[in-house]
Amino acid sequence: NIPVGSLANHELRALRTSAHHYFDQLHTKGIMSKQDAYQWLARLIQVPYSEAHIGNLGEYYCKVVIEESKKILTQYIKTQNSRSHFHEGRKAAS
């Protein structure tokens, strides 16, 4: 386990931790595969796939990753809730 990334002050470490938290949910919740999540990250931060690591990010891109990850997670939750309500309605009608 070799650390990837650049040195960071306290604020940047906190942002990277938060960015990782939201980013990791994209694949741990099954929204996309881990590989797809890293491809999405590479496109988002405009770097080659091999350089798509949260540990390389500065404050600006950490905030972008957090914001964009939250958007995807919010949409996923809305979709899941819609499906749940749909299935509940179908069970009640049966």
Side-chain angles (χ1 to χ4, degrees), residues 36-75:
D36 288 342
Y38 276 97
Q39 287 174 345
W40 171 83
L41 178 63
R43 284 190 308 276
L44 182 67
I45 62 174
Q46 303 172 0
V47 299
Y49 178 83
S50 62
E51 296 176 25
H53 301 286
I54 302 285
N56 291 335
L57 302 182
E59 289 183 25
Y60 173 79
Y61 275 119
C62 282
K63 290 175 182 177
V64 169
V65 169
I66 292 165
E67 182 180 324
E68 295 302 317
S69 295
K70 282 182 174 181
K71 286 179 186 176
I72 293 170
L73 291 163
T74 299
Q75 186 58 44

Side-chain angles (χ1 to χ4, degrees), residues 22-33 67-85:
Y22 290 105
F23 170 76
D24 286 346
Q25 289 185 54
L26 300 178
H27 61 87
T28 59
K29 290 187 178 289
I31 298 170
M32 54 183 81
S33 71
E67 182 180 324
E68 295 302 317
S69 295
K70 282 182 174 181
K71 286 179 186 176
I72 293 170
L73 291 163
T74 299
Q75 186 58 44
Y76 173 76
I77 290 166
K78 286 180 182 177
T79 302
Q80 293 301 313
N81 287 341
S82 293
R83 287 182 184 164
S84 176
H85 292 303

